[in-house]
Amino acid sequence: MSVPDLLFKGDAVSIGVALLLLAMSVGSWVVIVWKGWMLARARQDVARSTAVFWQAASVTEAQSRLAAFDRDGLVSPLVAATQAQATGTLAAAGDHSQQLTRVLRDALHSVLHKLQAGQVLLATVGSTAPFVGLLGTVWGIYHALIGIAGAGQVGIDKIAGPVGEALIMTAAGLAVAIPAVLGYNILGRLIGRIEADLEGFARDLRELLLTSKP
């Protein structure tokens, strides 16, 4: 029996498991390709945006120039957050240092949340796909054994075929999980590097605004 036969001639559970694995695979590959492209561009943009910022004559000038370089909006929100003025609220309470720390922390969390998009999906697929495939295998072996018992006469040729077909689900689960785990780890390293760059910029920006405060 071929793989298409296994998918379309099985029962509802077998077909459901196969479709779930297919959806997991498509979803994880979409995230891997999209995030790989996005993070590669973001790393270049962060480096260029921070360079443009420090080459500007003032924060206002830097903020206007960032629009052409910060395409994913990773550096601009940090600068914009420090320029917002809050009056008459608890956000305006405390000294200038405390206010800068709070607004930069909030802006940085928002940016990092954008960078982390899709990581949960990859982690979920990587951890659950093998078990989904195992479920399909166990279900397939169960039906294979029921069929063999109904046949009356048992031989190695009658066992090897159905059991081998059921094991395809285990292989499919691993084939879905392995790229998701590798993608999660590789993309996580890229995110970590960008996060370190953004945290360093936020710290330097805070020190700049504290020392330049009139």
Side-chain angles (χ1 to χ4, degrees), residues 35-211:
K35 288 213 67 177
W37 170 79
M38 189 269 282
L39 292 176
R41 188 175 78 162
R43 191 176 181 189
Q44 295 178 352
D45 286 356
V46 168
R48 290 188 296 180
S49 297
T50 53
V52 165
F53 179 87
W54 295 117
Q55 292 170 2
S58 65
V59 175
T60 303
E61 178 187 339
Q63 193 172 6
S64 63
R65 293 174 60 184
L66 282 177
F69 298 91
D70 192 22
R71 292 171 291 183
D72 292 313
L74 301 177
V75 176
S76 301
L78 301 180
V79 180
T82 63
Q83 301 305 299
Q85 299 293 328
T87 56
T89 64
L90 290 177
D95 58 23
H96 189 52
S97 174
Q98 293 173 330
Q99 295 179 36
L100 282 177
T101 299
R102 181 172 57 252
V103 297
L104 282 172
R105 182 187 62 237
D106 293 343
L108 187 60
H109 286 173
S110 177
V111 170
L112 295 182
H113 180 74
K114 182 189 300 185
L115 289 175
Q116 292 285 347
Q119 289 294 95
V120 173
L121 175 63
L122 293 180
T124 302
V125 171
S127 61
T128 60
F131 297 101
V132 175
L134 184 60
L135 172 62
T137 296
V138 172
W139 190 259
I141 291 176
Y142 167 74
H143 279 280
L145 294 177
I146 293 296
I148 291 170
Q153 186 177 4
V154 179
I156 189 63
D157 57 330
K158 295 184 179 296
I159 296 177
V163 172
E165 293 162 3
L167 289 174
I168 292 176
M169 287 295 187
T170 297
L174 293 175
V176 172
I178 291 173
V181 172
L182 292 176
Y184 177 84
N185 292 332
I186 294 173
L187 295 175
R189 289 178 63 87
L190 292 175
I191 292 172
R193 293 172 183 174
I194 297 173
E195 179 179 350
D197 292 339
L198 290 173
E199 288 178 348
F201 174 75
R203 183 169 55 251
D204 293 341
L205 176 61
R206 177 181 178 275
E207 296 300 322
L208 170 69
L209 295 177
L210 284 179
T211 55

